Amino acid sequence: MHRSSRQGTNLQSVKWQNRAAVLETLWRFQPLSRRDLARRTDLTPATLTNIVAEFLDAGIVQETGFGEQRTGRRPTMLAFVPDCYFLLGVNLSRTEISIGLFDMRLNALHVLVHPIAVRIGDGPVDTLLHLIRQAVAESGLDWERIIAIGISAPGPLSGQEGMIYAPPHFPDWSYLPLGPLVQQAFNVPAWLENDANANALAEHWLGAGRAFNNFVYVENHSGLGSGIVLNGQLFTGSTGVAAEVGHTSIDHHGPRCACGNYGCVEMYASGPAIVERVRQAHAAGRRTLLTDWLGDALDGLTFDHVIDASHQDDPLSIEVLCEACRALGQGLVNAINLVDPEAIILGHKLHRFRDDCLESLREVIRQRAIPQAAARLNIVVTQLPEPAAATGAACRALSGLLQDPHLLLERTPAVG
Amino acid sequence: MHRSSRQGTNLQSVKWQNRAAVLETLWRFQPLSRRDLARRTDLTPATLTNIVAEFLDAGIVQETGFGEQRTGRRPTMLAFVPDCYFLLGVNLSRTEISIGLFDMRLNALHVLVHPIAVRIGDGPVDTLLHLIRQAVAESGLDWERIIAIGISAPGPLSGQEGMIYAPPHFPDWSYLPLGPLVQQAFNVPAWLENDANANALAEHWLGAGRAFNNFVYVENHSGLGSGIVLNGQLFTGSTGVAAEVGHTSIDHHGPRCACGNYGCVEMYASGPAIVERVRQAHAAGRRTLLTDWLGDALDGLTFDHVIDASHQDDPLSIEVLCEACRALGQGLVNAINLVDPEAIILGHKLHRFRDDCLESLREVIRQRAIPQAAARLNIVVTQLPEPAAATGAACRALSGLLQDPHLLLERTPAVG
DNA sequence: AGTTTTATATTACTATTTTATCAAATTGAT
DNA sequence: ATCAATTTGATAAAATAGTAATATAAAACT
């Protein structure tokens, strides 16, 4: 009601906050003993005996044996029961729909990939629901055991409303309340999230961000996406569009971007921008290995070709990618000076860049970011397992679950 | 110990969190009834009866009469006892030390201003302690009733350690643990904060930010300072230097800034930058009203002169200030696309800008920020009462107090 | 075998919020 | 005037969740 006032804490919220804290800690650092959990959450051992007993009763946590101990009684280690429930991760990309079934540890059990252009049934939602049903059927899992669904898609969208707004090039996905639609269709809680945000979250849970609670994630996949994690939580801003590093400007007199801004990082560092730079240089007479592969017209040149060529020591490709990295680095410098994160995580496709290209990104940050912020900054590369996109989506579902542990503990059977 | 793990909530923290929430809510929205407070904090009326009784007992809150009510029993309104305790706000600027004594509603009772260059005693700390003592003596207040001290200073500094690092041009203030020194000297809790951050907080408590929990504050006073408030809290980042809008770049090929970055907003929009632009234009033959005031050499031209001239419709001054506003606007666009705030608050000296200059800032934001973020964005001007700088510092002290209410409720008498 | 150390379980307890109920105060209709 | 309705605020018993103290278990070391 009064959003601007500060909320108090009642006993119920204490209970659920503590269960959420314990679950999250266990997930991220398992196996842990009760004692470990008590230390990490700042709760007492007695409280942890109680809370853990609830989790054991609910069958979501198990004792996995004994830990090492220099002296004294050996701790009983605890871990999630990986297959107590299963998570569905759905990623909508510009080219395909990927659906993954995951256990509670985010291990992929089954993956289904379908071209986004190929429709099944009446509309995009029908297609999606059909594919989800198909994926679950193929996996052989009982719907009863699927506890949450995460959906990631390129923006713009509203995670809170679960609504896709107006994705470029996909008019029939416009203004669809995808979250509620999926949730109602399967009677399973569902969350919709920006794809880069979902991946940022995945880095936090099981990738390069495990050690950090405050970081900026960027990926250069289809467009330049990014996400910010603050205090271990996705930071989405007041209207849900925060963290658009790709649409910060590094040159206010630069070319106009589709977003309305001028000189966006995306204009210099995204895949299409990189391809365009190579084409321009080639048209201006620069020689490149890429002509050996694609002919003199560079037919069908892609971002991947440029990355591949750079690994074959093609000077033009290396030069263009380094320049893109410097542009991205400059965008990150601005983000660092505003957000002062513990780490920068470089996501998909950046992980395939040559080291010397990434080094020029690091160099820009070292030289240009505020020294106090740059000094302790970690710049690391993604460590997400495949299928990365669906994992990110499933991770959003996991995050939703662990933040609302009654979804796990006080579960009423679902209806497929 | 394990900073990366999520903290649990114990019952003690519930108690103090709730008291903090109630105090903060009451401070910001007083007068409120117990019922109002219950609604706003999401606690039960019974709990509020109890908590308010504690505050009444401690003498920090009082009943101020009855509120209006359509029907039913009239609510008893509650408010802070303004003079139950007093706060000290100390601002160190590049030119002077201002010390203000404030009541709990941040009304200024007494203000003392002293040139920073004039020393009293051995060193800068001696001078400061002497001036604080003097200010309190002049105010006639008993040291016993001074409950907290806030100190604001230009960065770089560490609020957590209460340490000033290396302020440009003030070598003898370097690496002074000013917070602890002042706290020990007077046995009163003291907090050190970046001046722009303190002012951002003040806007949140009693200025243009009262209605917002997420905003970016910028001021163009001595340098281009800024602060970010997220979820009603000052956001300081992982090393404490977050929110440096002035040191984000709008042109990666721009001139080098002292901070190491290139093309910082500060290089285009700060007072010195504006003065320099006017000088350059004048040297290039542009006519300006300023020569009427300062002679043809523009001796002693200041930022204030330029602002004054703009109000006298001097075309050059207007042009330069508008250009500065566009540069600042571009920096804010980047901040908006990263942070997605509810509001931008324009602080000191910007409040003296001509409307058409600020309008060009607004225009840049409207045209360039991500539409979804820009649509609901409020761009407002500071509403801090004078003495603004000392008020900001006092506000930091107030914020520290209300976040740790046992400083108010379980107070042991101080020793001057 | 006995001591020390560490982990976990148990029990009784404490602090705080909460539920339920009641009293007080006001409006307005009858 | 009286009564019903409405809202605020007070009170006391109840519920809840975490906690301190203590006991027990299990291992290492001497």
Side-chain angles (χ1 to χ4, degrees):
Chain A
M1 185 192 288
H2 293 282
R3 260 215 236 101
S4 62
S5 300
R6 192 161 147 194
Q7 297 278 293
T9 310
N10 53 36
L11 290 181
Q12 278 296 302
S13 60
V14 170
K15 174 175 176 175
W16 293 112
Q17 276 171 32
N18 285 346
R19 274 135 192 85
V22 171
L23 283 174
E24 185 179 319
T25 305
L26 182 61
W27 205 101
R28 290 186 58 202
F29 304 102
Q30 77 168 59
L32 294 172
S33 70
R34 291 167 177 79
R35 190 69 215 278
D36 294 334
L37 285 167
R39 272 196 283 255
R40 293 184 105 108
T41 57
D42 248 21
L43 297 169
T44 58
T47 301
L48 265 122
T49 296
N50 295 336
I51 291 177
V52 167
E54 281 178 36
F55 295 163
L56 292 171
D57 273 358
I60 59 174
V61 160
Q62 63 191 354
E63 300 186 332
T64 57
F66 296 111
E68 290 304 305
Q69 189 62 43
R70 204 174 40 77
T71 172
R73 176 175 175 176
R74 280 174 3 189
T76 310
M77 303 313 274
L78 302 161
F80 271 73
V81 177
D83 53 359
C84 64
Y85 293 115
F86 299 93
L87 302 160
L88 252 164
V90 179
N91 174 252
L92 310 178
S93 80
R94 296 190 205 284
T95 53
E96 59 201 23
I97 298 176
S98 352
I99 300 178
L101 275 132
F102 297 84
D103 68 18
M104 291 295 286
R105 291 298 305 168
L106 294 180
N107 299 307
L109 305 176
H110 182 72
V111 179
L112 183 157
V113 178
H114 184 88
I116 200 153
V118 177
R119 289 289 146 75
I120 304 166
D122 278 348
V125 176
D126 277 351
T127 308
L128 183 64
L129 298 182
H130 175 91
L131 289 170
I132 292 175
R133 260 186 224 103
Q134 185 184 332
V136 173
E138 285 173 6
S139 75
L141 290 173
D142 191 344
W143 262 104
E144 300 272 315
R145 304 185 66 196
I146 292 173
I147 194 166
I149 305 175
I151 311 166
S152 66
L157 54 78
S158 160
Q160 259 197 326
E161 302 169 71
M163 167 95 83
I164 290 198
Y165 286 156
H169 318 307
F170 294 97
D172 50 354
W173 288 96
S174 282
Y175 295 94
L176 284 179
L178 217 51
L181 283 172
V182 170
Q183 174 154 342
Q184 277 152 35
F186 301 112
N187 195 23
V188 173
W191 291 270
L192 175 68
E193 189 62 74
N194 175 289
D195 49 7
N197 278 357
N199 291 342
L201 209 50
E203 296 289 352
H204 181 55
W205 285 103
L206 73 157
R210 267 171 300 187
F212 307 116
N213 268 336
N214 298 279
F215 62 83
V216 173
Y217 168 85
V218 278
E219 59 182 30
N220 197 346
H221 196 218
S222 52
L224 219 150
S226 52
I228 298 179
V229 169
L230 296 181
N231 299 318
Q233 309 262 312
L234 215 43
F235 175 73
T236 55
S238 69
T239 74
V241 299
E244 287 289 355
V245 175
H247 294 291
T248 59
S249 165
I250 58 173
D251 183 354
H252 59 148
H253 293 127
R256 182 151 206 260
C257 174
C259 76
N261 205 349
Y262 289 74
C264 286
V265 173
E266 177 148 308
M267 312 285 299
Y268 303 94
S270 70
I274 285 166
V275 166
E276 184 55 29
R277 292 279 154 130
V278 170
R279 282 195 182 282
Q280 281 170 4
H282 173 252
R286 283 287 303 266
R287 294 181 53 87
T288 164
L289 178 65
L290 289 159
T291 50
D292 295 358
W293 301 349
L294 301 167
D296 207 53
L298 292 178
D299 286 326
L301 176 67
T302 65
F303 185 15
D304 282 310
H305 287 133
V306 181
I307 299 175
D308 291 339
S310 79
H311 286 292
Q312 302 297 319
D313 299 323
D314 176 49
L316 176 60
S317 297
I318 294 174
E319 189 183 310
V320 168
L321 290 175
C322 281
E323 190 53 36
C325 279
R326 278 191 287 272
L328 177 55
Q330 181 68 57
L332 287 171
V333 165
N334 286 353
I336 291 162
N337 289 358
L338 282 176
V339 171
D340 186 16
E342 297 162 58
I344 301 291
I345 299 182
L346 304 173
H348 252 56
K349 296 235 169 144
L350 290 164
H351 72 303
R352 291 191 52 225
F353 276 37
R354 280 171 67 105
D355 258 358
D356 45 359
C357 294
L358 293 184
E359 186 50 34
S360 51
L361 183 153
R362 289 199 187 86
E363 194 186 344
V364 167
I365 292 176
R366 271 200 305 271
Q367 291 179 344
R368 299 190 169 202
I370 291 175
Q372 193 182 331
R376 293 193 206 159
L377 184 75
N378 299 278
I379 303 174
V380 295
V381 172
T382 176
Q383 288 172 20
L384 285 192
E386 289 297 331
T391 303
C395 198
R396 178 61 185 84
L398 179 70
S399 164
L401 271 189
L402 299 194
Q403 275 181 34
D404 262 344
H406 63 262
L407 293 175
L408 267 167
L409 295 171
E410 298 179 347
R411 189 172 136 83
T412 49
V415 180
Chain B
M1 184 190 287
H2 292 282
R3 262 215 237 100
S4 63
S5 301
R6 194 163 145 191
Q7 297 277 295
T9 309
N10 53 36
L11 291 182
Q12 275 298 302
S13 58
V14 171
K15 173 174 175 175
W16 292 114
Q17 276 170 34
N18 286 346
R19 275 137 191 83
V22 172
L23 283 173
E24 185 179 319
T25 304
L26 182 61
W27 205 100
R28 290 186 59 202
F29 302 103
Q30 79 170 53
L32 294 172
S33 70
R34 291 165 177 82
R35 191 67 216 277
D36 295 334
L37 285 167
R39 272 197 283 254
R40 294 184 106 107
T41 57
D42 248 21
L43 297 169
T44 57
T47 301
L48 264 122
T49 296
N50 296 335
I51 291 177
V52 167
E54 282 179 36
F55 295 164
L56 292 171
D57 273 359
I60 59 175
V61 160
Q62 63 191 354
E63 299 185 334
T64 57
F66 296 111
E68 289 305 305
Q69 190 62 45
R70 202 175 41 78
T71 172
R73 176 174 173 175
R74 275 161 41 186
T76 310
M77 304 313 275
L78 301 161
F80 271 73
V81 177
D83 53 358
C84 64
Y85 293 116
F86 299 92
L87 302 160
L88 251 164
V90 179
N91 173 252
L92 310 178
S93 80
R94 296 189 206 285
T95 53
E96 57 201 23
I97 298 176
S98 351
I99 301 178
L101 275 132
F102 297 84
D103 68 18
M104 292 295 286
R105 290 299 304 171
L106 294 179
N107 299 305
L109 304 177
H110 182 73
V111 180
L112 183 157
V113 179
H114 184 89
I116 200 155
V118 177
R119 289 288 145 75
I120 303 165
D122 277 351
V125 177
D126 277 352
T127 308
L128 183 63
L129 298 183
H130 175 91
L131 289 169
I132 292 176
R133 258 186 228 101
Q134 185 185 331
V136 173
E138 286 172 6
S139 76
L141 290 173
D142 192 342
W143 262 104
E144 300 272 315
R145 306 186 63 195
I146 291 173
I147 194 166
I149 305 175
I151 310 166
S152 66
L157 55 80
S158 160
Q160 262 198 323
E161 301 169 70
M163 167 95 84
I164 289 198
Y165 286 153
H169 319 306
F170 294 96
D172 50 353
W173 287 95
S174 283
Y175 294 95
L176 284 179
L178 215 52
L181 283 172
V182 170
Q183 175 154 342
Q184 277 153 37
F186 302 111
N187 194 25
V188 173
W191 290 273
L192 176 67
E193 189 61 74
N194 175 290
D195 48 7
N197 279 356
N199 291 343
L201 208 50
E203 296 288 353
H204 181 54
W205 286 103
L206 73 158
R210 266 171 301 186
F212 307 116
N213 268 337
N214 298 277
F215 63 83
V216 174
Y217 168 85
V218 279
E219 60 181 29
N220 197 346
H221 196 219
S222 52
L224 219 150
S226 51
I228 298 180
V229 169
L230 296 181
N231 298 320
Q233 308 263 311
L234 218 41
F235 175 73
T236 56
S238 68
T239 73
V241 299
E244 287 289 356
V245 175
H247 294 291
T248 59
S249 165
I250 57 173
D251 182 355
H252 59 148
H253 293 128
R256 183 150 204 260
C257 174
C259 76
N261 205 351
Y262 289 74
C264 286
V265 173
E266 177 148 310
M267 313 285 299
Y268 303 94
S270 70
I274 285 166
V275 167
E276 184 55 28
R277 292 279 154 132
V278 170
R279 283 196 181 282
Q280 280 170 5
H282 174 251
R286 284 286 303 267
R287 296 181 52 85
T288 164
L289 178 66
L290 289 158
T291 50
D292 294 359
W293 300 350
L294 301 166
D296 207 53
L298 292 178
D299 286 324
L301 176 66
T302 65
F303 187 13
D304 281 311
H305 288 132
V306 180
I307 299 176
D308 290 340
S310 79
H311 285 292
Q312 302 298 320
D313 299 321
D314 177 48
L316 176 60
S317 296
I318 294 174
E319 189 183 311
V320 168
L321 290 175
C322 281
E323 190 53 38
C325 280
R326 278 191 287 272
L328 176 56
Q330 181 68 58
L332 287 170
V333 165
N334 286 353
I336 290 162
N337 289 359
L338 284 176
V339 171
D340 185 16
E342 297 162 59
I344 301 291
I345 299 181
L346 304 173
H348 253 58
K349 295 233 172 147
L350 290 164
H351 72 302
R352 291 192 51 225
F353 277 36
R354 278 170 68 104
D355 257 357
D356 46 358
C357 295
L358 294 183
E359 186 49 33
S360 51
L361 183 154
R362 289 199 188 88
E363 194 186 346
V364 167
I365 291 177
R366 271 200 305 269
Q367 292 180 342
R368 300 191 168 201
I370 292 176
Q372 194 180 332
R376 293 194 207 158
L377 184 74
N378 300 278
I379 303 174
V380 294
V381 172
T382 177
Q383 288 172 21
L384 286 191
E386 290 298 331
T391 303
C395 197
R396 177 62 184 86
L398 178 70
S399 164
L401 269 190
L402 298 195
Q403 273 181 34
D404 263 343
H406 63 262
L407 292 174
L408 266 167
L409 294 171
E410 298 179 348
R411 189 173 136 82
T412 48
V415 182

